[in-house]
Amino acid sequence: MAVGAEMLAIVGACRVQLDAAAWIRAIRIRAARPASSAARCSHGLPRQENERKLHAPAACRLDPTPPWSESMDLLPYARTMAAYNRWMNERLHEACAQLPDTRRREDLGAFFKSIHGTLNHLLLADRVWLGRFTGMPFRAAALDQELYAGFAELRVERERTDAAIEAWSATLTAHDFAGELSYTRISSPQPVRLPFWRALVHFFNHQTHHRGQITTLLKQSGIDPGVTDLIAMPAAELA
């Protein structure tokens, strides 16, 4: 996809973390632009990512061939999961809003300790992965970094990021799923190379994993999060 001067200015101005509003605006601008062969490499990623000479260890050199028939179209999967992610996050934040802030911040023994900590991690991880997919890195200091202290602001930024994820998923092509994704971990400088399809499936699976933790904490706090099954999502959400 073509990257305009305003996009480069945003990325170049980064030091520790991109300004969230500018970053999401840039993601949306980029998602709205058609792909061009000049700006994309052979596996559908931005050219600057293709030119990164990352050498993953043997354990990360995975067969990029998807374990399914070549005739299977994964585009509906990506777009369905992007819609499900938005739908569930809307309902999850609505449920969390019923709790006092002290309870949302209380250490309840989850991996990221509290409901607030887990919600922040989910948003941070989604922005990190979306940045990897689009070639616009989101700078994060740590996986438990608190992006937003206030619940209201966190909720608004969650909605903005979910919209960006849906916009990006709408730009994917079958060619993308046959490619690879290269990136560097947050927790270590070790470079990683993965089949694109594997990274994308992990992206959506990670969201479901941590939302499941939050629904458990909500139930323990006396809040019923309701039905969370993908098949319960109204068909209109996919429109």
Side-chain angles (χ1 to χ4, degrees):
M1 299 178 184
V3 182
E6 75 278 13
M7 305 277 278
L8 297 177
I10 291 172
V11 176
C14 286
R15 291 297 182 270
V16 178
Q17 177 178 318
L18 289 175
D19 173 75
W23 183 78
I24 290 195
R25 283 198 302 272
I27 290 290
R28 287 176 173 172
I29 291 170
R30 184 166 188 160
R33 291 177 174 170
S36 69
S37 58
R40 296 179 71 86
C41 64
S42 61
H43 49 65
L45 293 174
R47 183 167 296 280
Q48 64 267 32
E49 289 294 308
N50 188 40
E51 292 172 352
R52 293 175 63 193
K53 304 302 182 182
L54 299 180
H55 300 286
C60 293
R61 294 172 191 157
L62 303 176
D63 182 358
T65 304
W68 50 70
S69 169
E70 292 182 359
S71 63
M72 181 176 177
D73 186 0
L74 284 180
L75 295 178
Y77 165 79
R79 292 163 189 171
T80 297
M81 292 304 296
Y84 174 67
N85 169 68
R86 172 187 48 75
W87 179 69
M88 268 306 307
N89 282 333
E90 289 172 353
R91 299 171 72 246
L92 196 65
H93 281 75
E94 183 177 349
C96 290
Q98 300 177 48
L99 294 173
D101 195 53
T102 52
R103 180 61 176 178
R104 286 194 298 262
R105 291 177 171 277
E106 184 179 347
D107 187 343
L108 300 176
F111 191 87
F112 289 96
K113 299 182 178 180
S114 64
I115 291 174
H116 178 76
T118 308
L119 289 173
N120 260 283
H121 169 71
L122 261 172
L123 180 59
L124 181 144
D126 281 355
R127 288 182 171 179
V128 167
W129 276 104
L130 188 57
R132 290 167 177 169
F133 289 133
T134 61
M136 295 180 59
F138 183 84
R139 309 297 181 184
L143 291 174
D144 60 354
Q145 178 182 345
E146 182 183 64
L147 295 181
Y148 302 101
F151 178 74
E153 186 178 15
L154 178 63
R155 189 174 184 177
V156 168
E157 293 300 322
R158 176 74 264 178
E159 292 172 355
R160 289 161 59 85
T161 296
D162 288 345
I165 291 172
E166 283 198 285
W168 164 75
S169 70
T171 70
L172 293 173
T173 67
H175 184 66
D176 292 320
F177 289 97
E180 290 186 334
L181 178 70
S182 297
Y183 64 93
T184 301
R185 299 178 188 274
I186 294 176
S187 56
S188 72
Q190 178 185 5
V192 178
R193 179 179 297 138
L194 292 174
F196 179 88
W197 68 265
R198 189 181 180 94
L200 182 129
V201 171
H202 166 78
F203 174 58
F204 291 121
N205 184 69
H206 177 266
Q207 296 168 345
T208 302
H209 167 66
H210 284 296
R211 278 196 299 262
Q213 294 176 338
I214 294 174
T215 57
T216 298
L217 299 180
L218 284 169
K219 287 289 289 184
Q220 292 173 350
S221 302
I223 303 295
D224 184 357
V227 178
T228 61
D229 294 338
L230 184 148
I231 58 175
M233 180 176 65
E237 299 293 334
L238 289 170

